[in-house]
Amino acid sequence: MHQITSTKPFSITALSLLMSLLLVSCDSTSQQPTTQHIAHKHRHLLVQTPDIPICIETNFGQIELLLHPSIAPKTVNNFLSYAKEGFYDKTLFHRVIPGFVIQGGKFNPHFKPKQTHQPVINEASKHMRHYRGTIAMHRNERDPHSATSEFFINIADNHAFNIPHGYTVFGHVTKGMPVIQQIAKIPTHTHHRGYRHVPQVPVIIEHVRVHSAKKPCLGHHPLLVSLKSIY
């Protein structure tokens, strides 16, 4: 490779002109960041807080998700806390509405609510919209900061939820949408305690955990499903 060297020094005039152009360029960049600059800052944020892969094992099959702590750190930590202590084991997807959502993480198989921790602050963000396949926290309609353990997965683009202090989206499905669609097709009824859209066949969350190379998800083959309702 040939090395290019200069035999003549820059003139003072040329050097002054070059410095002026650099100053103008730096000034305009500071006023209006480039797309590349914004992307670089966002990439740095994701490196600091990488997405977290999750397995939700149900009696209908397995759902894999990525949680986004860079977008909703408190919500992700809240969900992981419940998962790691086994809270979600043997809870139900108790609300199923085709073309809308499947919802769970609150009731045990006998339809009794489990004791939860303190609510988590609302982190609804314009950066995470309620598109098909996203996971979000359920909350009390009157209190935006009332989410605890209960969550739902959007089966469709639910733009009505994209409101200030709405329902915090904190991840998305990467594998298992056919399992979700199968769950969404289960006939529902109104539970004797007044809950609507309850699947006639129980949809049980067997286990929720973080997965890794050492502990990968097992696959998406549905387990045996009892056709006898326990309600």
Side-chain angles (χ1 to χ4, degrees), residues 65-222:
L65 306 102
L66 277 181
L67 307 187
H68 306 307
S70 59
I71 301 296
K74 292 182 174 62
T75 304
V76 169
N77 286 338
N78 175 73
F79 184 87
L80 290 176
S81 177
Y82 283 112
K84 290 177 180 177
E85 68 185 44
F87 179 93
Y88 291 123
D89 296 2
K90 305 301 180 184
T91 57
L92 300 171
F93 274 113
H94 64 274
R95 184 173 181 239
V96 170
I97 305 178
F100 187 45
V101 300
I102 64 171
Q103 184 173 321
K106 178 180 179 179
F107 296 100
N108 68 17
H110 302 289
F111 225 85
K112 293 182 179 179
K114 298 185 71 172
Q115 186 67 38
T116 60
H117 303 310
Q118 292 296 314
V120 63
I121 190 171
N122 189 294
E123 295 180 298
S125 167
K126 64 180 181 181
H127 300 295
M128 286 296 290
R129 302 283 181 169
H130 285 263
Y131 293 120
R132 178 179 180 270
T134 52
I135 182 173
M137 295 304 297
H138 176 73
R139 62 168 177 80
N140 187 307
E141 291 184 2
R142 298 180 181 179
D143 183 0
H145 306 292
S146 59
T148 54
S149 66
E150 198 171 353
F151 63 90
F152 61 89
I153 297 174
N154 289 298
I155 303 176
D157 295 346
N158 290 317
H159 299 299
F161 290 157
N162 296 323
I163 56 176
H165 301 296
Y167 299 83
T168 303
V169 174
F170 62 101
H172 72 279
V173 175
T174 56
K175 292 181 181 179
M177 281 305 294
V179 174
I180 294 170
Q181 295 293 355
Q182 183 184 3
I183 293 171
K185 293 177 182 179
I186 299 173
T188 62
H189 66 154
T190 299
H191 189 267
H192 64 79
R193 294 179 182 172
Y195 295 102
R196 300 171 60 196
H197 307 293
V198 176
Q200 294 182 12
V201 177
V203 182
I204 300 172
I205 299 172
E206 305 285 358
H207 189 50
V208 177
R209 64 178 175 85
V210 176
H211 77 82
S212 63
K214 293 183 178 180
K215 286 187 175 182
C217 289
L218 300 177
H220 304 286
H221 301 291

Side-chain angles (χ1 to χ4, degrees), residues 55-63 204-209 216-218 223:
C55 293
I56 298 180
E57 299 165 5
T58 81
N59 60 331
F60 276 78
Q62 192 163 261
I63 303 166
I204 300 172
I205 299 172
E206 305 285 358
H207 189 50
V208 177
R209 64 178 175 85
C217 289
L218 300 177
L223 304 176

